[in-house]
Amino acid sequence: IRIEMLLISKKELLFICTNSQHESEKNKTTDSGIGLINIKKRLDLLFKDAYSLHIEQNDKEYKVKLKIPVYEN
């Protein structure tokens, strides 16, 4: 697992998580599962349209990219 967090501006944080794909998972789709549905609902509640979530999959790995706003206290 590789995890990266980048402050891409004073107002945006980019989180990237890359994980190798196990042989038994290669034929599954990236947008299935209750966990992803719940995550998307929570992001919608917290950030409305101010975030982006991209899930990529190839033969070797999964990659999730999440960009969220940074708020000052």
Side-chain angles (χ1 to χ4, degrees), residues 27-39:
N27 293 326
K28 292 187 178 181
T29 61
T30 58
D31 288 335
S32 63
I34 192 87
L36 287 176
I37 293 168
N38 287 339
I39 291 290

Side-chain angles (χ1 to χ4, degrees), residues 8 26-27 30 32 37 40 48 51 53 58 66 68:
I8 54 177
K26 286 189 177 182
N27 293 326
T30 58
S32 63
I37 293 168
K40 290 176 183 177
K48 302 198 182 348
Y51 77 94
L53 176 67
N58 62 37
L66 173 62
I68 59 172

Side-chain angles (χ1 to χ4, degrees), residues 2 4 8 12 17 22 41 48 54 62 64 71:
R2 188 171 117 205
E4 301 171 71
I8 54 177
E12 288 185 306
C17 182
H22 190 271
K41 285 180 182 179
K48 302 198 182 348
H54 298 283
Y62 291 107
V64 177
Y71 300 110

Side-chain angles (χ1 to χ4, degrees), residues 3-73:
I3 298 173
E4 301 171 71
M5 288 194 324
L6 307 165
L7 190 60
I8 54 177
S9 73
K10 290 183 178 182
K11 296 183 179 183
E12 288 185 306
L13 178 68
L14 177 62
F15 172 82
I16 303 169
C17 182
T18 307
N19 193 11
S20 60
Q21 184 172 330
H22 190 271
E23 286 293 323
S24 65
E25 299 291 318
K26 286 189 177 182
N27 293 326
K28 292 187 178 181
T29 61
T30 58
D31 288 335
S32 63
I34 192 87
L36 287 176
I37 293 168
N38 287 339
I39 291 290
K40 290 176 183 177
K41 285 180 182 179
R42 286 177 182 245
L43 288 168
D44 285 339
L45 287 171
L46 289 169
F47 302 111
K48 302 198 182 348
D49 294 328
Y51 77 94
S52 66
L53 176 67
H54 298 283
I55 301 167
E56 303 169 11
Q57 175 183 355
N58 62 37
D59 291 340
K60 295 181 181 181
E61 64 186 16
Y62 291 107
K63 184 179 280 190
V64 177
K65 296 179 182 177
L66 173 62
K67 188 187 304 182
I68 59 172
V70 175
Y71 300 110
E72 293 183 25
N73 290 339

